[in-house]
Amino acid sequence: MNQFLKIHPEVQQALQDKKPVVALESTIISHGMPYPKNVETALAVEDVVRQNGAIPATIAIMNGKCHVGLSKEQVEFFGKEKEVWKVSLRDMPYVISKQLYGATTVAATMRISAMAGIKIFVTGGIGGVHRGAETSMDISADLTEMAQTSVAVVSAGVKSILDIGLTLEYLETKGIPVVTYQQDEFPSFYSRKSGFNSPLRLNTPAEIAALLHTKWSLGLNGNVLIANPVPPEYEVPTEKMEEHIRQALAAASKQNIKGKEVTPFILQYIAEHTKGESLEANIALIKHNAKVGAEIATAYTSVKL
Ligand code: PSU
Ligand code: MN
C-alpha cells in the first residue's frame, strides 16, 4: 500500500469485503462552515451514510499521511483548529512532507479516494469556473482532477458564486458526464433551479451505478458529476441568494482576495450575511447528498460484472 496512505480499519475491512464506502471531504469542515455547526454536520453526515447502508470515510491529512476515515475526535479537531491548510492537489506534497494539518478539497479528496479504492464521494458543492474567469483565469483544480480520476462525486450542483454556464462548458470539454438526479434542470446548490438544463438525467441509484460501471469499463477514466437538488423545503430562492453573492464578490474584489482564499472568503461572507438561512440549506443538502450517495454506493457494489 502507498506509504502515505492510512486507512481506518473499519474502512479497510469494508473495502476488502466489497461493501459500499462513501468518501467525504474535510475542506468543508475546516474552511466551509463555522464551528460548531461544521463538526455537528460532518458527524451527522457520517451517520446518514451509515443509516443508508454504507461506511463513511472522511479524508484529511495529518502527521505526513492521507487519512481515510477519521475518528470523532479527529473530525472535532479539524472543525476547531485554526492552523489547517486548505489542500488541493498543488498543496499535497508540501503539507504531507512538512507534516502539517491539511483539510482536503474535492480535488485532493478524489485523488486520495482513488488511492484507497473508493469510487463514490459525497460533498456539498464543487469548485468550478469563477465569474470573470476570462480575465482572472480562476478555474478550480476540482475540474481538472474530475477529468482524470475515476471517482464519482455527488453534489447539490454548482454554487452560483461560480459561472454555472462556463463550468458546464468546461465539464463538457473534459468529457465529464453531468447527471442530475430526478429532474431536468441542473441545480445551483441553494436552489433547485439554475436556468441551465442538465446534460443528463437519471432517476434511480441503480441507473447511476450502471452508468458509472459502463463508463469505467469502457476505459473512460474520470469523474461523473451527480447533481442532487436541495430538498424543496430548504431551498433558498436564487434572487435572494444573488444579492448576497454579488455583495460577497464585490467585497472579495475590494479586499483583493486571490487564489485559494477566494472560495472560503465567499462561503464565509455568505454564511454571515444570510443569518443562518443559507447554512441551514447547506446542512440539509449535504445530508440529502449523503443519503443518495450511500444508495448509489450500495447499488454500485451490486452491479453484475
Ligand atoms: N464550493 C462549495 N462549498 C465548498 C467548496 C466549494 O459550495 O465547501 C470547497 C470544496 O472543498 C471545493 C473547494 O473543493 O472549496 C474549491 O476551492 P477552489 O475554488 O479554491 O478550488
Ligand atoms: Mn480558484
Side-chain angles (χ1 to χ4, degrees):
M1 189 195 297
N2 188 315
Q3 62 171 311
F4 297 110
L5 207 52
K6 193 162 166 57
I7 304 181
H8 190 287
E10 186 193 24
V11 175
Q12 184 67 57
Q13 192 62 53
L15 288 168
Q16 233 163 33
D17 299 345
K18 305 214 178 313
K19 296 222 172 96
V21 177
V22 169
L24 300 163
E25 62 152 312
S26 45
T27 291
I28 194 171
I29 306 175
S30 296
H31 307 280
M33 275 189 199
Y35 180 83
K37 289 271 184 189
N38 56 355
V39 173
E40 284 166 29
T41 304
L43 296 175
V45 163
E46 289 200 354
D47 281 342
V48 173
V49 169
R50 283 183 200 285
Q51 284 154 20
N52 289 278
I55 299 295
T58 301
I59 292 179
I61 294 170
M62 64 191 132
N63 307 323
K65 302 248 191 244
C66 301
H67 285 250
V68 179
L70 301 183
S71 67
K72 279 200 165 78
E73 293 69 30
Q74 288 168 332
V75 169
E76 177 88 18
F77 173 85
F78 277 96
K80 260 189 182 159
E81 173 63 37
K82 294 278 176 277
E83 300 297 307
V84 175
W85 273 62
K86 173 187 163 192
V87 178
S88 192
L89 294 183
R90 174 190 68 174
D91 315 290
M92 279 176 70
Y94 182 83
V95 170
I96 293 170
S97 63
K98 297 284 265 178
Q99 311 227 337
L100 303 172
Y101 294 107
T104 50
T105 63
V106 168
T109 307
M110 278 183 72
R111 185 64 67 98
I112 297 165
S113 299
M115 288 175 188
I118 303 174
K119 305 302 281 181
I120 314 290
F121 162 28
V122 164
T123 186
I126 59 161
V129 181
H130 281 256
R131 295 188 192 185
E134 57 276 22
T135 49
S136 69
M137 290 190 65
D138 191 352
I139 299 173
S140 176
D142 291 354
L143 297 186
T144 45
E145 179 62 3
M146 287 163 73
Q148 59 185 350
T149 294
S150 300
V151 173
V153 173
V154 181
S155 90
V158 171
K159 218 173 249 178
S160 51
I161 60 173
L162 303 172
D163 188 317
I164 298 178
L166 291 188
T167 302
L168 288 170
E169 290 294 347
Y170 196 96
L171 291 164
E172 180 184 350
T173 300
K174 292 291 185 181
I176 300 161
V178 175
V179 178
T180 299
Y181 188 56
Q182 297 179 338
Q183 72 175 32
D184 293 331
E185 188 166 349
F186 185 70
S188 61
F189 198 88
Y190 297 115
S191 171
R192 296 169 65 81
K193 301 193 219 87
S194 69
F196 292 90
N197 279 330
S198 177
L200 305 167
R201 167 188 176 153
L202 289 172
N203 295 322
T204 64
E207 288 172 288
I208 294 173
L211 179 114
L212 297 178
H213 180 71
T214 304
K215 175 177 159 95
W216 295 327
S217 297
L218 284 165
L220 293 169
N221 292 331
N223 164 272
V224 172
L225 179 61
I226 298 141
N228 182 34
V230 59
E233 61 274 29
Y234 291 101
E235 188 173 23
V236 186
T238 34
E239 312 76 52
K240 196 166 170 184
M241 283 314 299
E242 182 58 24
E243 191 46 39
H244 291 288
I245 289 166
R246 279 186 197 286
Q247 285 171 12
L249 292 172
S253 148
K254 201 166 161 219
Q255 294 179 44
N256 204 25
I257 307 291
K258 293 259 187 310
K260 68 187 275 195
E261 310 305 333
V262 172
T263 300
F265 178 92
I266 294 170
L267 296 182
Q268 197 182 340
Y269 187 101
I270 291 171
E272 278 169 15
H273 288 76
T274 55
K275 302 193 184 63
E277 188 185 3
S278 71
L279 191 58
E280 288 315 307
N282 204 338
I283 294 167
L285 67 85
I286 296 174
K287 288 187 189 165
H288 189 220
N289 291 348
K291 175 176 186 287
V292 171
E295 289 168 356
I296 294 169
T298 303
Y300 187 77
T301 56
S302 52
V303 171
K304 293 283 170 291
L305 301 180

